[in-house]
Amino acid sequence: MTTAETMLPGDERVARSALRPVFVALRLGLHLLVVGLTLFVVVRALLADDPAEVLITILAIAFLACYGGGIAAAHRQLPTFARVLWLASLLALWVGMSALTPDAAFLAFPLFFLELHVLAAPISVPLVVITFGISVWGTATHLGFEVGSILGPLISAGVAIVIGLGYRAMSQETQERQALILDLITTREELAAASREAGTLAERERLAREIHDTVAQGLSSIQMLLHAAERDVEDERVAEKLRLARETAAENLGEARRFIRELTPPSLDEQTLPGALRRLTEAVNEQASQAGAGTRVEFATSGDPVLLPMTVDAALLRIAQGSLANVLRHAEAHACSLTLSYLGDEIALDIVDDGVGFDAGELARVGDPGEFGLRAIRRRAAELGGRVDLETAPGEGTALSVRIPVVPS
């Protein structure tokens, strides 16, 4: 999630954060500053009987309308191109006002913050410098070059850069903490569900053993004794009663065995990591089918399976979930393979797709949301003494390999 998204009032991810009041106050302050300074420019032009007051008023109204439209549409998670176009429109209207009145320079201050929020730091900081230059040009055009016309915007730009980058860092830290909290909550719920399921299965297995060792064995013994008694009885009426009793015991023995089969827990294979990954790939394929995507995920295992510590199982399952989610959202892949390999003293999880790939170095520099996912994967592996290898390039697909040393549980 970018910092542009964190500034938007409808973002539910920020709403869940404990720092939500801080973000809301900062956003509200920015909105009030933009509206207040724009109205100040209009009022000053009207009071001074500026010859261009009509044109200034029109540009100011267009500026506010453009700003309000962008904020109103922000909850739709606008693509980067749309956000850049919106910001460029605001800057164009502001430059027009700057050419008509020196008071438009006051709007440079909130525009500094807006640029730092909407764009990544490598782009926004140079744009702030350019905006500073335009502000000085607008003031100097009407009032001439003075120390104040340069020093004021310069201080404003410096303050905006420091506060904007600090806000960005705080926002990113909050997002990571929130993601960690949500992950912990999800893991706790899954562990609770697994604990309940394990308790249910254990109780079912205990009942199955009890029925097998008592009722079923007793009925089986009764059936055999009645069968032996039938052979030793010569009275037909007594023999008929013994046969009926034996058949009744046999029927009840069959019912007891049916109960045992129903109570016996399912195959342990479905409760292991391969079973969980197989169910995950089935769910991902179903999700891709419903979304109309052409991605197909295949799952395979190699080596002799061993029972792993729960921490390793949980980490690999989380890594697989995050990686497959990224493949569906970003890779535009037709095929993806998920392979779990038991290599003796380590276990390997490989996710390979034939999608569009990406520039890993550029991803790290720009601070894309996908970089957070990769950092989370590397952190999970590192916590277990493992490593992550990533091979990708634009147009050449992506291969992610995770290797974790293990001691069989």
Side-chain angles (χ1 to χ4, degrees), residues 181-258:
I181 291 172
L182 293 176
D183 190 34
L184 291 174
I185 292 175
T186 302
T187 303
R188 184 180 64 183
E189 292 174 350
E190 291 179 354
L191 289 175
S195 179
R196 289 193 299 269
E197 182 180 359
T200 301
L201 293 176
E203 181 63 15
R204 286 163 62 96
E205 187 175 11
R206 186 189 69 81
L207 290 175
R209 288 198 306 268
E210 293 296 329
I211 294 175
H212 177 272
D213 294 341
T214 56
V215 179
Q217 294 295 346
L219 289 173
S220 180
S221 299
I222 291 171
Q223 184 185 16
M224 289 188 295
L225 291 173
L226 290 173
H227 187 68
E230 278 186 88
R231 295 196 301 268
D232 296 337
V233 173
E234 297 179 356
D235 189 325
E236 289 294 331
R237 290 180 299 176
V238 176
E240 179 65 21
K241 293 177 180 179
L242 290 174
R243 183 187 63 79
L244 181 60
R246 178 176 57 81
E247 291 177 352
T248 302
E251 292 176 0
N252 282 271
L253 177 59
E255 289 293 318
R257 286 172 175 167
R258 182 174 64 81

Side-chain angles (χ1 to χ4, degrees), residues 74-144:
H75 68 280
R76 301 177 184 175
Q77 300 298 317
L78 298 175
T80 302
F81 172 78
R83 295 199 300 268
V84 172
L85 182 61
W86 172 64
L87 183 58
S89 300
L90 288 175
L91 289 174
L93 292 169
W94 172 70
V95 170
M97 285 190 286
S98 297
L100 297 174
T101 173
D103 294 330
F106 290 106
L107 282 170
F109 187 60
L111 285 175
F112 293 154
F113 286 105
L114 204 59
E115 291 163 352
L116 290 166
H117 287 323
V118 173
L119 303 176
I123 301 175
S124 61
V125 173
L127 185 58
V128 167
V129 175
I130 294 174
T131 305
F132 158 74
I134 295 174
S135 175
V136 173
W137 163 80
T139 304
T141 300
H142 299 281
L143 304 177

Side-chain angles (χ1 to χ4, degrees), residues 1 6 8 91 107 135 142 168 176 200 225 317 324 342:
M1 182 173 56
T6 61
L8 306 180
L91 289 174
L107 282 170
S135 175
H142 299 281
R168 184 187 294 270
E176 293 180 358
T200 301
L225 291 173
L317 180 59
L324 292 182
Y342 294 91

